[in-house]
Amino acid sequence: MNIDFTQANREAWNETAPIHAVQNLQDLLEHFRVSGYSCLHKPFEVERLQALKLEGKAVAQLCCNNGRELISVKNLFNAGRCVGFDISDRFIEQAKSLNAAANQDVEFVRVNVLEIPESFTAQFDLVYITIGALGWLPDLQVFLSTISRLLKPGGHVLIYEMHPILDMFEGDGDAKQNPLELKHSYFRTAPYIETGGLDYYGGKSYQSKTMYWFHYKISDLIGGLIQNGLQITAFDEFDFDISNTFARLEALEIKPPMCYLLEARKS
Ligand SMILES: C[S@@+](CC[C@H](N)C(=O)[O-])C[C@H]1O[C@@H](n2cnc3c(N)ncnc32)[C@H](O)[C@@H]1O
């Protein structure tokens, strides 16, 4: 069977956009009308971005969704050219409306991040990737080589992501289930096939379009960055959930790492 994973995931994300809009779009529009607003609330993330001295620097965000984080980076650090890339037509529309509310000049491009045009090669000082991006991509190696291609020499990639160990557990869906029960191998290679929707703001499941999630080990990521000429400059793991889907696991005293922040530099 020849599945177009990217097109399937695009349709699932387009279907989700109006559901998220009900949960957060009006609030975000109001927030961004206030000059300088930022939705980035973890001090360690802001400090790491601050250390990169982004004033006037070019920043790309891959899988930018509604653009709230990239517009925040622009607002906080007075960054130069900022470009957000996402596969979803509808989230790109939301990003453009938030950008207009913020009176900013962030560009948003509807594209598969595995196929970013050559015109963006070596254009960026920072490639920024956050919360729930990597798992949607059917080819991690192409993604990592794309990051390297987009960066100027000496540029950085910052990845603030859900920890792949979470792929071993089931998430909040079934309240009766032990959240620590292991359901999947850490060494799984088959994609996860999901039809329960993506309402991680409202917390409701619905019969959704079929979507595909890919598990990558931390070593796949680190090894792939190294192979693509990127030197790791920072790596940390944390004990809180950034996905809005593992609240029950987060509440336990005994728990796995739940997210990480990784920075690497193109040599
Ligand atoms: C979980 S959301 C990112 C949320 C964002 N970090 C935030 O916190 O607001 C993941 C995004 O990845 C996008 N995406 C999935 N596959 C993609 C691909 N192949 N190319 C570009 N974007 C993709 C989806 O459309 C979705 O907007």
Side-chain angles (χ1 to χ4, degrees):
M1 196 171 25
N2 204 359
I3 300 169
D4 185 341
F5 296 116
T6 305
Q7 182 56 24
N9 287 342
R10 173 184 285 127
E11 288 173 18
W13 278 101
N14 278 339
E15 178 184 52
T16 307
I19 297 168
H20 284 200
V22 170
Q23 300 289 338
N24 65 10
L25 190 58
Q26 284 315 314
D27 280 355
L28 283 170
L29 284 166
E30 260 175 54
H31 289 315
F32 275 113
R33 281 188 197 110
V34 178
S35 164
Y37 170 74
S38 164
C39 71
L40 307 180
H41 56 277
K42 291 290 183 199
F44 64 83
E45 185 189 13
V46 175
E47 282 160 20
R48 185 54 63 186
L49 287 161
Q50 203 158 24
L52 293 172
K53 299 192 178 12
L54 294 174
E55 183 164 350
K57 300 271 181 70
V59 181
Q61 185 177 11
L62 310 187
C63 302
C64 66
N65 194 255
N66 64 13
R68 67 187 182 117
E69 294 154 315
L70 186 59
I71 303 168
S72 298
V73 166
K74 176 84 186 179
N75 276 347
L76 276 179
F77 305 108
N78 198 19
R81 185 184 188 196
C82 289
V83 188
F85 300 92
D86 198 282
I87 203 171
S88 162
D89 317 72
R90 290 190 174 175
F91 276 110
I92 287 291
E93 282 163 19
Q94 289 186 18
K96 288 180 176 170
S97 66
L98 293 180
N99 183 54
N103 200 20
Q104 279 294 8
D105 58 357
V106 178
E107 298 162 48
F108 289 100
V109 182
R110 183 275 210 190
V111 71
N112 176 0
V113 291
L114 305 181
E115 295 173 353
I116 292 179
E118 284 300 323
S119 57
F120 291 103
T121 298
Q123 295 300 301
F124 297 99
D125 300 285
L126 172 66
V127 172
Y128 180 49
I129 296 152
T130 77
I131 320 181
L134 265 57
W136 296 106
L137 307 171
D139 193 328
L140 184 68
Q141 289 315 312
V142 172
F143 185 59
L144 297 177
S145 69
T146 303
I147 293 172
S148 181
R149 174 169 70 80
L150 297 178
L151 284 171
K152 299 176 186 172
H156 288 83
V157 55
L158 192 67
I159 306 178
Y160 177 38
E161 256 294 10
M162 296 161 62
H163 203 293
I165 282 181
L166 293 178
D167 291 337
M168 299 177 76
F169 303 94
E170 249 345 74
D172 286 334
D174 179 359
K176 288 196 209 101
Q177 187 206 310
N178 173 3
L180 273 175
E181 191 180 333
L182 292 176
K183 293 280 190 173
H184 308 279
S185 168
Y186 186 65
F187 298 91
R188 174 177 172 142
T189 53
Y192 292 71
I193 303 172
E194 310 279 357
T195 52
L198 287 161
D199 183 15
Y200 50 82
Y201 286 111
K204 294 206 179 79
S205 76
Y206 59 94
Q207 181 60 43
S208 69
K209 305 254 186 202
T210 304
M211 52 202 167
Y212 299 88
W213 176 262
F214 302 86
H215 169 75
Y216 299 112
K217 307 187 298 296
I218 284 285
S219 54
D220 296 329
L221 175 62
I222 291 182
L225 287 167
I226 294 167
Q227 272 167 24
N228 281 286
L230 291 147
Q231 295 173 327
I232 315 291
T233 46
F235 179 60
D236 211 346
E237 293 163 296
F238 303 96
D239 64 354
F240 51 84
D241 175 36
I242 54 175
S243 69
N244 277 347
T245 54
F246 285 93
R248 293 170 63 238
L249 198 52
E250 183 184 43
L252 299 177
E253 202 171 320
I254 294 175
K255 57 188 157 191
M258 302 198 77
C259 64
Y260 66 88
L261 186 80
L262 185 153
E263 184 192 88
R265 183 176 178 276
K266 181 166 175 172
S267 41

